[in-house]
Amino acid sequence: MSFTKVAASALAITAVAGVTHARDNVQVAGSSTVLPYASIVAEAFGENTDFPTPVVESGGSSAGLKRFCEGVGANTIDVANASRAIKSSEIETCASNGVTDIIEVRIGYDGIVFASDIDGQSFAFTPSDWFLALAPKVVVDGALVDNPNTDWAQVNADFASQNILALIPGTKHGTREVFEEKVLLVGCEETGAMQAMIDGGMSEDDAEDACLKVRTDGLSVDIDGDYTETLARLDANKAAVGVFGLAFYENNTNVLQAATMSGVEATTDTIASGEYPVSRPLYFYVKAAHIGVIPGLQEYASFFVSEDMAGPDSPLAEYGLVSDPELEATQESVDAGETM
Amino acid sequence: MTDLTQARSLTELDPRTKKRNAAEKRFRAYGVSAIAIGVVFLVILLWNIISAGLPAYTQTSLKLDVALTQEEVDKAESAVVKTTRYRKMIEAAMVAALQDQGIENPFSKSRDLVRMLSTGAPATLRDAVLADPSLVGQTSQFEFFMSSRADGYMKGRVTREDLARDKNLTPLHLDVIDRLVDAGMVERGFNWNFIFGVDASEARPEQAGMGASILGSFYMMMVVLMAAVPIGVATAIYLEEFAPQNWFTDLIEINISNLAAVPSIVFGILGIAAFIQFGGGVMGIAGFKQSVPLVGGLVLSLMTLPTIIIATRASLKAVPPSIRDAALGLGASKTQAVFHHVLPLALPGILTGTIIGLAQALGETAPLLLIGMIGLVATSYPEGFVSGFTEPNSAMPAQIYQWATRADPAFYERAWGGIIILLVFLLSMNIIAIILRRRFERRW
């Protein structure tokens, strides 16, 4: 075998590959919560236009925004999906790397549901229940003590006896932040634990941070993987209660039942109206400098928020996205290319 | 002295021999039970994979006559979302078909009726029309995939109870499907699309296929072959045959052995820094961008290099020194001795090492995560052979990982189905390695 020949042909092919055109597809990365919606849009975009199907990568909101802020050019991504708003620190990083014009697009809302095995008991939770079940310290008889609750019946007398085992998203997930803010913090205030901490000499900020902590004795399990992992854990231990996205839950209603939160059932309607408390907006961010350079980028952004894609009676809504009541305003700002 | 003269029966074992024999029996029993446990696990694993993955290889589809009129097609093509209009044509065709067959339509909205079809059906229809415009103006039969839940019902994965609270499909749909099966319109057949098709979005698992990612893996293996094999073999030959023995070559050797044990994710980080950010960004090499098999292949090459170098050196070492000495003694130069005599004899071993290195690279996922080959990436076949290196694509293990994380249970079935394909590839590569070794190996 002649190795010089093999090496030469290797070099030749690499060289040929190297001189082909710059990127002609839109490159998207970011939140795994937004990924299903973005992939549905990308697929429909490829089907309905002459542009190639955009590449949609997963990896998480923070990872996506980090790559988004790496700079301008064909070897950086054009769109970052995020299940939370961009932080000011990220905008600064972006600016220092030359990414100054960012278009923020809110695509709709995502509900977070608390689901348990379909054959188990039906829960009707309040934020206080979750705080009492998961906090490391709770108020008992006016004093702050280590959480004594190990059974849901201890948390709320309305529940049947069932060991507490909560499968909550790990700290790298955007969902965790929403869970902390809209459930644990609210519960902390409602049960008076926050006031007790402040009375005990903590500053308000410290007390707020302490409210977001969860117990570490094994009754609360952080799931760092996807919802499929949560489902697998729940399947293995039927007594567990898991935190899921609404769309994931709706795809698995044959094995899961969702609990109500503060008496409200999680549906696209109750989330859109704001009645269901645990929801969050979903975004994507577009690099304005790439519009006109990467073919199809402007069209992709407009297509994403069009009535046919993200409206109340659209493929995204069917999959579980709570469509944004202010979608029309978003469409206008996307078409006008308004930057942040 | 007394021990030696003591009479002893040959048929009766003394205690020490008994003990030794017992120890040997015990050891054999351990060995057999270790193998038995291994076999049991292997059987459980294979049974799991095959039973969970086989359903992915069949797919239910609906044969439907659709009348295409010029007016409707024109209207659809001028719309922004063209597939919505094509869906309306399918809706009308389906309502008509139910009437023809005398099947009661329990839905007042035809939109609800077509929920039993894949959301990709309108695109299938549009693609057919674009490919063959002569279809417009006539009624022809099309085959549409059923939705993942309808398909699951035909496979026994989904029951009526499961659909009680489902948003997409109701038990009423299942009644219609039962009647359609009787009418011969709904059939479950072999799913070629799973092997040759491309990835689909989360809303239509029934359309997802491995084809594009198989090709992605293939391109990456080509890059590994072209990059890692020449460099690895040349390095090994030089180190083994030509390099002087000093502290510097020792250092290189130790580093190569260490490199073989570096976790693969590290190579992914190296890949994003060296190839995408430096090569593509700073140096401006056009092919070095996110999600392309060229970069993926180079990253896997780095990972495979140590394996190839170590295997090549081992097989060069196995060639007896007498062959080198004979060649040198007859006046051959060092290079001639190596390339004419040593290397051909070492080739089977090198090939085996290379194939095993390739098989390793084929199953690797972690580094691909970082260079953007996981997600909805493998959505189309490359336009040409060469552009396949630089068009975004995924790889088999990355595709399987991606499917396993998606919400619809039908994707889970596909993840297992994909594992079967990956295993077939790995198994055949290993078999080729074994055959090559058997045929060409020489022993001294």
Side-chain angles (χ1 to χ4, degrees):
Chain A
M1 188 190 281
S2 160
F3 290 103
T4 40
K5 263 188 204 161
V6 176
S9 54
L11 281 177
I13 291 198
T14 317
V16 170
V19 294
T20 48
H21 47 82
R23 192 148 56 79
D24 58 4
N25 61 282
V26 176
Q27 194 95 20
V28 186
S31 167
S32 47
T33 309
V34 184
L35 175 74
Y37 307 117
S39 69
I40 290 170
V41 174
E43 188 173 58
F45 184 69
E47 260 166 29
N48 283 295
T49 64
D50 296 329
F51 298 106
T53 306
V55 169
V56 190
E57 298 168 33
S58 59
S61 302
S62 303
L65 283 166
K66 192 160 172 266
R67 279 175 59 191
F68 184 77
C69 290
E70 267 166 10
V72 175
N75 67 322
T76 60
I77 59 172
D78 312 312
V79 178
N81 294 329
S83 54
R84 57 168 173 79
I86 190 168
K87 290 176 188 158
S88 56
S89 61
E90 286 165 335
I91 296 179
E92 279 161 30
T93 317
C94 263
S96 68
N97 288 329
V99 186
T100 47
D101 294 330
I102 303 169
I103 303 171
E104 182 181 67
V105 186
R106 190 176 61 214
I107 58 168
Y109 293 84
D110 173 44
I112 290 163
V113 300
F114 302 87
S116 51
D117 185 69
I118 189 154
D119 299 322
Q121 70 168 314
S122 309
F123 286 100
F125 288 122
T126 61
S128 303
D129 295 337
W130 275 92
F131 180 77
L132 290 175
L134 292 190
K137 282 183 186 298
V138 296
V139 176
V140 177
D141 299 332
L144 213 52
V145 295
D146 283 342
N147 193 345
N149 303 327
T150 55
D151 195 296
W152 284 108
Q154 285 170 289
V155 168
N156 186 335
D158 293 343
F159 298 149
S161 172
Q162 179 173 339
N163 284 336
I164 294 175
L165 180 61
L167 309 171
I168 61 174
T171 43
K172 73 162 196 169
H173 286 282
T175 318
R176 174 63 170 266
E177 241 166 79
V178 184
F179 173 69
E180 287 174 347
E181 257 167 46
K182 305 228 161 150
V183 180
L184 290 181
L185 191 60
V186 174
C188 189
E189 282 165 5
E190 278 177 5
T191 56
M194 188 153 169
Q195 198 55 46
M197 281 186 233
I198 294 171
D199 293 346
M202 268 192 192
S203 75
E204 204 160 316
D205 280 353
D206 286 348
E208 212 167 280
D209 285 347
C211 280
L212 304 184
K213 296 261 181 315
V214 295
R215 63 202 300 175
T216 50
D217 54 3
L219 299 190
S220 163
V221 181
D222 277 16
I223 306 285
D224 281 321
D226 293 272
Y227 294 133
T228 36
E229 190 189 334
T230 315
L231 182 64
R233 292 278 198 106
L234 203 143
D235 200 39
N237 189 341
K238 305 273 191 207
V241 182
V243 177
F244 295 94
L246 179 68
F248 188 92
Y249 162 71
E250 287 190 335
N251 267 295
N252 290 280
T253 48
N254 58 331
V255 287
L256 293 175
Q257 60 170 330
T260 59
M261 181 51 85
S262 307
V264 184
E265 207 180 315
T267 63
T268 45
D269 293 335
T270 57
I271 293 165
S273 68
E275 277 173 81
Y276 186 78
V278 200
S279 69
R280 51 146 170 213
L282 301 177
Y283 299 91
F284 70 85
Y285 294 90
V286 183
K287 221 176 261 182
H290 283 194
I291 289 178
V293 180
I294 304 293
L297 180 56
Q298 172 70 51
E299 289 82 353
Y300 170 74
S302 304
F303 188 80
F304 204 130
V305 290
S306 68
E307 205 63 30
D308 288 316
M309 272 294 129
D313 182 31
S314 63
L316 293 190
E318 251 166 52
Y319 189 76
L321 181 76
V322 179
S323 77
D324 189 347
E326 291 157 30
L327 192 64
E328 221 165 297
T330 311
Q331 287 164 356
E332 278 166 25
S333 78
V334 168
D335 289 338
E338 278 171 37
T339 57
M340 287 174 81
Chain B
M1 278 311 270
T2 43
D3 279 348
L4 281 175
T5 49
Q6 202 168 37
R8 181 182 291 155
S9 159
L10 282 175
T11 54
E12 205 177 298
L13 297 173
D14 68 292
R16 263 184 64 200
T17 316
K18 266 188 194 157
K19 219 173 150 189
R20 284 196 310 170
N21 288 354
E24 183 163 336
K25 261 193 198 137
R26 270 204 310 278
F27 180 75
R28 284 191 191 180
Y30 296 151
V32 169
S33 51
I35 291 177
I37 291 170
V39 169
V40 166
F41 277 119
L42 185 69
V43 168
I44 291 175
L45 184 73
L46 282 180
W47 188 79
N48 248 327
I49 291 174
I50 291 173
S51 63
L54 273 188
Y57 289 87
T58 55
Q59 170 66 39
T60 314
S61 43
L62 171 80
K63 289 197 189 76
L64 189 64
D65 292 324
V66 182
L68 294 162
T69 64
Q70 188 67 50
E71 187 193 357
E72 274 178 0
V73 170
D74 287 344
K75 221 165 99 187
E77 286 300 321
S78 59
V80 181
V81 181
K82 303 166 178 77
T83 42
T84 315
R85 305 276 175 158
Y86 282 96
R87 193 189 69 214
K88 297 216 158 83
M89 298 178 206
I90 296 178
E91 283 172 18
M94 209 161 158
V95 170
L98 286 191
Q99 262 174 359
D100 277 358
Q101 298 286 342
I103 300 170
E104 194 200 343
N105 180 358
F107 303 99
S108 53
K109 279 199 282 184
S110 56
R111 174 78 192 93
D112 287 330
L113 177 65
V114 296
R115 277 182 207 278
M116 67 172 72
L117 285 183
S118 164
T119 54
T124 311
L125 182 63
R126 178 166 184 252
D127 287 345
V129 171
L130 292 186
D132 183 8
S134 70
L135 290 173
V136 179
Q138 12 174 335
T139 301
S140 25
Q141 195 180 62
F142 293 91
E143 219 178 295
F144 300 118
F145 282 161
M146 303 288 278
S147 77
S148 62
R149 285 182 181 65
D151 182 48
Y153 171 66
M154 295 289 287
K155 289 170 180 169
R157 178 164 55 77
V158 173
T159 62
R160 270 161 218 275
E161 292 81 61
D162 289 342
L163 294 180
R165 296 183 302 127
D166 198 273
K167 236 175 49 160
N168 293 307
L169 217 61
T170 62
L172 290 176
H173 284 104
L174 300 185
D175 297 336
V176 176
I177 291 172
D178 284 340
R179 301 288 309 277
L180 287 170
V181 173
D182 294 339
M185 286 171 69
V186 167
E187 261 174 9
R188 192 176 153 196
F190 189 79
N191 190 3
W192 290 107
N193 184 61
F194 180 66
I195 300 170
F196 297 108
V198 297
D199 193 16
S201 76
E202 313 230 0
R204 46 178 91 146
E206 60 280 350
Q207 287 229 320
M210 285 283 279
S213 50
I214 293 176
L215 207 63
S217 279
F218 168 77
Y219 274 111
M220 293 205 293
M221 290 309 106
M222 298 254 294
V223 175
V224 174
L225 262 181
M226 292 183 300
V229 174
I231 297 174
V233 172
T235 307
I237 293 175
Y238 183 77
L239 280 178
E240 193 60 39
E241 303 286 342
F242 297 97
Q245 279 290 317
N246 56 27
W247 65 271
F248 186 67
T249 46
D250 282 350
L251 192 74
I252 290 179
E253 252 169 67
I254 292 171
N255 271 314
I256 289 172
S257 308
N258 278 338
L259 216 55
V262 169
S264 55
I265 191 101
V266 175
F267 289 105
I269 297 175
L270 183 71
I272 194 168
F275 296 123
I276 296 173
Q277 288 174 352
F278 184 75
V282 181
M283 306 271 291
I285 306 170
F288 285 5
K289 44 191 185 182
Q290 304 276 351
S291 323
V292 300
L294 178 66
V295 173
L298 287 174
V299 169
L300 294 181
S301 303
L302 294 178
M303 216 192 74
T304 321
L305 261 180
T307 314
I308 294 180
I309 294 174
I310 292 169
T312 307
R313 292 194 65 180
S315 50
L316 286 173
K317 260 197 199 111
V319 177
S322 57
I323 292 187
R324 278 183 205 90
D325 295 343
L328 293 175
L330 285 172
S333 72
K334 184 101 194 197
T335 315
Q336 283 174 326
V338 169
F339 281 94
H340 294 176
H341 302 281
V342 180
L343 197 58
L345 291 172
L347 215 48
I350 296 175
L351 278 178
T352 313
T354 305
I355 292 173
I356 287 170
L358 279 182
Q360 226 175 35
L362 187 70
E364 196 57 64
T365 325
L368 306 182
L369 253 166
L370 289 168
I371 54 169
M373 299 186 82
I374 292 181
L376 182 80
V377 188
T379 47
S380 58
Y381 276 105
E383 280 162 29
F385 178 75
V386 175
S387 64
F389 285 101
T390 53
E391 274 175 33
N393 206 335
S394 193
M396 280 190 273
Q399 183 72 74
I400 292 166
Y401 169 78
Q402 179 58 41
W403 282 342
T405 62
R406 291 188 187 170
D408 196 310
F411 274 118
Y412 196 65
E413 168 184 296
R414 263 143 225 275
W416 288 99
I419 292 171
I420 296 179
I421 296 184
L422 185 61
L423 279 183
V424 167
F425 273 92
L426 290 176
L427 212 64
S428 34
M429 283 173 83
N430 285 335
I431 288 173
I432 290 172
I434 291 170
I435 292 174
L436 283 176
R437 203 169 54 209
R438 280 278 161 83
R439 286 201 70 167
F440 298 111
E441 192 178 41
R442 283 187 61 180
R443 289 177 184 281
W444 284 278

